[in-house]
Every structure is written in C-alpha cells, then in structure tokens.
Amino acid sequence: MKYLGMPPYDDLEKIRELSKKDNLNSFPLLAANLGLIENEYEHYEKVNGDVTLLNPPLILHEDLKNGLKADYSRVLKALSYIAEIRDELSPDVCPMCGSFGTGQADHFVPKTTYPEFSLFARNLVPACKCNQTKLASYKGAHGERILHPYFDKSLDQRILYLEFSGDKASPYLAVELTLPYKTNADAKYHVSSIVAKGNVFNWASKEWSKIQIRPSATIFQKENGGYTTAEIRRMLEKAFLNSDRDYGTPNNWKSMFYYGLALKADYHEYIRDCVNQAQP
C-alpha cells in the first residue's frame, strides 16, 4: 500500500485526443459521447476517487462499452501512458497490497462496471497480481471502500503490520491495523478485500523460516554471534525504518514484517537464540 499522488497526465486532454483516433475500437462513438465521459472524469476527481460517491455507470451503446474495454488492451502510441502507469509509477512496491513489484495496471473501479473509465489514468493503478483477487471488490455493502493510491494521503502513514502469535516455531500470522486505523471502516475493508487475500502470509512465513534456519540471509549478519535481546530489538526497529525509506511507504511487506516483530518482546528472545545458535 502506498500513496502515489496524481499520475502526470491531463485526462481530459487525453480523452479528447483519443476520441479523434480512427484506429481505436471506440471510434467514432467516443467522440459522440465525449461530453458525458468528460463530466464523469471531472466528478471522479471532484469526489477524490471515493468510489462510494461516484455517479451510476453511464448508459452507453454496447459498441462503445466494448470498444473502450478493447482499446485498453491495445498497444498503440496514443495509449502508451497505460504502460507507463503499469511499469514506472511504482516499480518496486504494489500500492494496493504492499508486495514487491507491480507489472499490471489495475482498474480501480472495474471496467466491466464502469467502461467509461477504461482509459482514465486516475482509475488505472500499478499493481501486482492482487488485482486478480480484488476483482470487483472496490466497495462494501455499508459504505466502506478500498483506499485509493492517488487520493488517499493516509497511505503515507503506517496503517498495518503483521501480528505474530501462538507457537514461535510456527507462528500464526494476521494482518493488523495500527491503533489510529483499527476502527477505520475503509482501512479494514481494504485489508480484508486485498491485502489479506494476497500472498503476504506465504512470503512472511518464508522470511520467518530464514530467521530460524539461515539468519545470515536476513538482517542478522553479525560475525561470531553473541546478540543480546536489546540488540535484536534495535535491529528489528532499524529494519522496518529502513524499509519505510527504501520503498517510500511504511505499508510494504518488509516494514509490516519487521514492525510486527519489533512489537513482540517475547519473540526477541526466541530470535536471539535462533541467531546465536546458528552462528559458526
């Protein structure tokens, strides 16, 4: 999860340009409906991407709906901004779930529901495969919604972390919200709909196994062992702060992992023993 700010494109100028392209599937119907679509673009921005405040989907001709959705997948110079969003806006951390890497452009509100936003840059977010689990889960039944990387500045704050509990040899993992966000319906919905459905638990389990079995492959690389519990705690704190900086967000998986461990004093002793015993 990461706040990105606005993508560097003028969407109104872009859609006007696209409406004149006779090699697009949406031609010429896009031009005929340009005013309606421009109004929806402006409204989307006016409500700061809050999907619960969007107008109902436009009633468009099926040929235009299908054309807009098909154009999204076209490899054309006029649509090169889609690849730029996918590959360049957040190349090393997914702003939707906090994983490492993107590789896909996710329609924040699905193009199947809102085809008018198929080519709208502010509705296209760089994402990893979590967009395949998100699907149409962009708002709940009680006014809650997912968080928007272009509009929700709260994504700059530490919203979530990994909670470790149970048997230390094989702990139970859960995504927990930090105190200011525990009662935030949008943050809770975002975590349950996207983050917790992804691969974060599998990734974190592997990281935990490294600490147990091969700690030299993690942040614990001190020669000759001899770590104290206090040193372990300080290293965990340093690790999540470094990850915050490296990825430009405290809501990446590494920060979530090390922040969660930093909170668990009893785990510090267990980690100390694992690391010291593994030293030659």
Side-chain angles (χ1 to χ4, degrees):
M1 296 164 59
K2 183 178 183 179
Y3 174 65
L4 299 176
M6 289 296 167
Y9 309 102
D10 185 328
D11 277 302
L12 291 179
E13 179 181 325
K14 185 67 66 177
I15 198 65
R16 290 165 188 160
E17 174 189 339
L18 294 174
S19 72
K20 301 173 184 177
K21 301 293 183 181
D22 60 7
N23 60 338
L24 293 183
N25 295 75
S26 55
F27 185 85
L29 292 175
L30 176 56
N33 292 268
L34 185 59
L36 289 173
I37 293 175
E38 287 178 341
N39 288 339
E40 295 310 302
Y41 279 18
E42 290 177 329
H43 181 69
Y44 188 115
E45 188 165 0
K46 182 178 180 181
V47 300
N48 295 316
D50 185 335
V51 295
T52 67
L53 300 177
L54 293 180
N55 294 325
L58 289 175
I59 300 174
L60 300 173
H61 193 285
E62 285 299 316
D63 288 347
L64 178 54
K65 291 181 183 180
N66 293 333
L68 288 167
K69 290 184 285 187
D71 285 339
Y72 166 75
S73 300
R74 301 283 299 278
V75 181
L76 298 172
K77 183 178 180 180
L79 300 169
S80 62
Y81 66 97
I82 296 175
E84 292 170 2
I85 289 172
R86 181 185 67 231
D87 300 329
E88 298 177 21
L89 285 193
S90 184
D92 56 1
V93 64
C94 176
M96 297 300 293
C97 77
S99 73
F100 305 113
T102 52
Q104 301 188 33
D106 177 34
H107 286 86
F108 193 78
V109 293
K111 62 182 184 296
T112 52
T113 306
Y114 282 91
E116 57 265 38
F117 296 138
S118 296
L119 307 178
F120 184 35
R122 284 164 174 73
N123 192 54
L124 296 173
V125 176
C128 69
K129 292 181 179 179
C130 70
N131 76 327
Q132 297 171 13
T133 56
K134 166 181 160 281
L135 298 177
S137 299
Y138 63 96
K139 64 178 180 178
H142 306 290
E144 64 273 37
R145 63 177 178 84
I146 58 175
L147 302 175
H148 203 310
Y150 296 149
F151 294 94
D152 284 300
K153 294 183 179 180
S154 61
L155 289 167
D156 265 344
Q157 308 301 312
R158 194 177 310 282
I159 293 176
L160 70 173
Y161 64 94
L162 284 172
E163 170 72 18
F164 291 75
S165 61
D167 180 11
K168 296 181 181 64
S170 183
Y172 175 77
L173 297 171
V175 179
E176 289 292 335
L177 294 164
T178 56
L179 186 60
Y181 294 97
K182 280 188 178 294
T183 58
N184 184 296
D186 295 338
K188 290 171 68 176
Y189 183 74
H190 189 106
V191 167
S192 64
S193 299
I194 301 176
V195 182
K197 287 184 177 180
N199 199 41
V200 63
F201 298 127
N202 183 50
W203 176 87
S205 294
K206 291 178 180 178
E207 289 297 300
W208 181 243
S209 293
K210 289 179 186 177
I211 290 176
Q212 293 173 298
I213 300 168
R214 195 161 54 93
S216 61
T218 68
I219 61 171
F220 303 107
Q221 300 173 356
K222 180 179 177 182
E223 293 183 2
N224 303 319
Y227 283 98
T228 66
T229 303
E231 284 179 309
I232 294 294
R233 176 180 55 79
R234 287 194 295 271
M235 293 186 74
L236 292 170
E237 292 173 348
K238 182 178 179 180
F240 74 71
L241 291 172
N242 285 342
S243 295
D244 292 355
R245 183 195 65 238
D246 291 345
Y247 294 100
T249 172
N251 301 302
N252 69 83
W253 287 0
K254 283 187 179 179
S255 290
M256 291 166 57
F257 180 83
Y258 288 115
Y259 184 86
L261 285 176
L263 296 177
K264 304 288 288 188
D266 54 334
Y267 274 67
H268 302 170
E269 296 179 2
Y270 180 83
I271 293 171
R272 178 201 63 197
D273 293 342
C274 288
V275 174
N276 288 341
Q277 291 169 14
Q279 295 292 336

